[in-house]
Amino acid sequence: MGQSYRDLIAWQKAMDYVMDTYKATACFPKDEVYGLAVQMRRAVIAIPSNIAQGQARFSPGEFHLYLGRARGALAEVETQIAIARNPNYLSEERLQYLLGKSTEIGKILSGLAHAIRPAA
C-alpha cells in the first residue's frame, strides 16, 4: 500500500483529476463561478482528501470508510458533470474525458477498497 498516501495511485490520479476539473470549470460562465463550478471543485477536492485522510488513520476499517467517502464524492462530480452538459458548459470532448477519468478512478478506488477491506 505504500508508506504514504502520496504513494497511492488512487491519490495521484485523483490529484490529476482535481487539476482537470479546475481547468474545465475555468471556462464556465461568470454567473456559475459561485454555483456549479464551486460545487464541482469542492466535490473533486474531497476525492484525494478522503483518500489521504483514510490512509493516514492506520486502520483498515477507517481507511475503507474514507475510500467510500471518496467514491461518494466521485459520484457527486459525475452528477455535476452531467448537469454541466445540459447548458453546454462543457464540450462533448471535455465531458467524455472527465467521465473517462472518473471511471478509471472509480475502478482504482474499488480495487483498493477490496484489497484493504477489514475482516468481518
Side-chain angles (χ1 to χ4, degrees):
M1 190 162 54
Q3 298 298 314
S4 167
Y5 61 87
R6 288 183 224 82
D7 297 328
L8 297 171
I9 301 286
W11 182 83
Q12 294 168 5
K13 297 269 186 185
M15 289 296 288
D16 290 342
Y17 197 47
V18 169
M19 298 288 59
D20 292 335
T21 302
Y22 265 68
K23 288 176 189 171
T25 57
C27 64
F28 280 20
K30 292 295 178 206
D31 61 333
E32 281 298 341
V33 170
Y34 297 106
L36 184 58
V38 140
Q39 286 293 109
M40 286 178 71
R41 288 176 175 193
R42 285 184 179 163
V44 80
I45 287 169
I47 301 165
S49 298
N50 277 296
I51 295 167
Q53 188 170 10
Q55 195 276 340
R57 298 275 178 157
F58 296 119
S59 162
E62 285 190 276
F63 191 15
H64 194 267
L65 175 69
Y66 279 88
L67 289 175
R69 290 178 181 169
R71 283 195 51 86
L74 186 64
E76 185 178 345
V77 173
E78 289 173 352
T79 300
Q80 293 159 348
I81 290 168
I83 292 167
R85 166 186 254 162
N86 294 332
N88 294 319
Y89 293 163
L90 294 172
S91 69
E92 188 63 29
E93 180 182 332
R94 176 75 56 119
L95 185 130
Q96 291 305 320
Y97 175 78
L98 290 172
L99 290 176
K101 295 274 281 198
S102 181
T103 299
E104 178 186 17
I105 293 166
K107 288 177 182 177
I108 293 168
L109 287 172
S110 291
L112 182 55
H114 181 74
I116 59 104
R117 183 177 30 221

